[in-house]
Amino acid sequence: MGVSASLDRQSSDHPDGKKQALSLRDVIDQIVADDPSIEQVLERVVSLAAQIIEGVDGASITLFGSGSHPYTMCSSHDWVREVDRRQYEAKEGPCVEVAATRAPASGSAALGVRSLLAVGISPRPDGHNPASGLPGALNLYSRRPHAFDIAEREQALALAAITGLVLQWTGARLNVERLRDGLTSRDIIGQAKGILMERHGINADEAFVILRRASNDLNIKLRDVAARIAQPDDPMGPDTVPIDVPNP
């Protein structure tokens, strides 16, 4: 099986038992559809793992936080999350070991799990910082012994590599969106300050104090207060903003 071409699995639902192939493009399209959040990306990967990798009865994503402390971000079943938790508490097991070894780890666990495969979801980890460049692991569970052979490992590695790249892309996209929102907010706040300065004959610092005080009084974001002042056609216009002009 060429993992560069497809990620396929044996489908028990297919009438003639032939392999059903899911191209890498299809996998990526399903993961990134509708500009997902990072959590949505990981949830989709867990779902896809069960769909395209033979023998998988459950899957999860382990993330490594501060000091490489592992925790389960999402899982297909509650029992999967429990198996993860037992490995974290014991500080051993495939989904823990993959952080240190940088290589796929396999084994077995309790709760009826007979096979377990964990692969890192970052393609290029940083050896100087275990948590850097290795955001987590894709964990695959099966109730059958020796469920994950070479083909399944290749599929898991391919899906994990795609996940790592998509996470980087998603993080970059979200950063751009935050930057764009920040610039928009700054522009709106600047407009509102200018309106207040012209209307009340105050300076920029005094105008900002008015906006901040109104934000606290109304219990809404400062940007939203500024928008009410800068966009008078808005139903929630400037008349809804308490203006407390300092005495000259």
Side-chain angles (χ1 to χ4, degrees):
M1 182 194 71
V3 296
S4 62
S6 67
L7 288 166
D8 54 27
R9 63 168 294 183
Q10 185 72 30
S11 174
S12 57
D13 298 329
H14 201 284
D16 56 11
K18 290 183 179 179
K19 291 275 189 176
Q20 284 189 331
L22 188 62
S23 71
L24 294 183
R25 179 181 294 275
D26 288 338
V27 170
I28 294 172
D29 286 346
Q30 289 190 38
I31 295 175
V32 303
D34 301 321
D35 294 333
S37 65
I38 288 178
E39 184 174 2
Q40 288 172 323
V41 167
L42 297 178
E43 289 173 347
R44 292 173 183 180
V45 169
V46 165
S47 177
L48 279 168
Q51 295 177 38
I52 64 180
I53 301 178
E54 178 67 20
V56 173
D57 293 314
S60 67
I61 295 287
T62 293
L63 296 186
F64 301 105
S66 177
S68 295
H69 178 72
Y71 63 96
T72 299
M73 181 67 178
C74 56
S75 64
S76 60
H77 304 82
D78 289 340
W79 63 263
V80 169
R81 190 176 293 270
E82 176 62 19
V83 175
D84 285 351
R85 186 188 65 80
R86 293 188 182 191
Q87 293 178 79
Y88 305 154
E89 288 186 350
K91 297 182 179 180
E92 62 180 13
C95 67
V96 176
E97 294 167 7
V98 70
T101 63
R102 304 294 192 273
S106 59
S108 61
L111 298 177
V113 174
R114 304 295 299 278
S115 300
L116 193 165
L117 175 64
V119 293
I121 59 175
S122 174
R124 299 188 65 83
D126 180 356
H128 298 291
N129 182 355
S132 175
L134 186 64
L138 170 63
N139 310 311
L140 308 178
Y141 296 91
S142 178
R143 298 188 182 280
R144 300 181 311 195
H146 313 296
F148 304 128
D149 207 339
I150 295 176
E152 288 72 36
R153 282 176 173 248
E154 289 181 346
Q155 289 176 314
L157 285 167
L159 182 57
I162 291 171
T163 305
L165 294 173
V166 171
L167 286 177
Q168 293 177 27
W169 171 81
T170 302
R173 174 178 59 78
L174 293 175
N175 283 335
V176 169
E177 291 177 358
R178 282 193 289 267
L179 176 61
R180 185 184 298 117
D181 289 344
L183 293 174
T184 301
S185 296
R186 186 172 66 178
D187 184 51
I188 291 175
I189 292 171
Q191 292 178 39
K193 286 169 58 178
I195 291 172
L196 292 174
M197 291 165 63
E198 181 179 359
R199 185 178 299 167
H200 300 288
I202 57 179
N203 61 37
D205 289 340
E206 291 170 333
F208 185 77
V209 169
I210 290 174
L211 292 174
R212 186 173 59 188
R213 185 176 297 141
S215 173
N216 292 333
D217 291 343
L218 296 172
N219 196 27
I220 62 176
K221 293 181 179 179
L222 191 147
R223 178 191 184 281
D224 294 334
V225 171
R228 292 187 185 187
I229 295 173
Q231 300 170 3
D233 293 334
D234 192 308
M236 298 296 289
D239 291 341
T240 66
V241 178
I243 304 298
D244 184 10
V245 180
N247 295 323

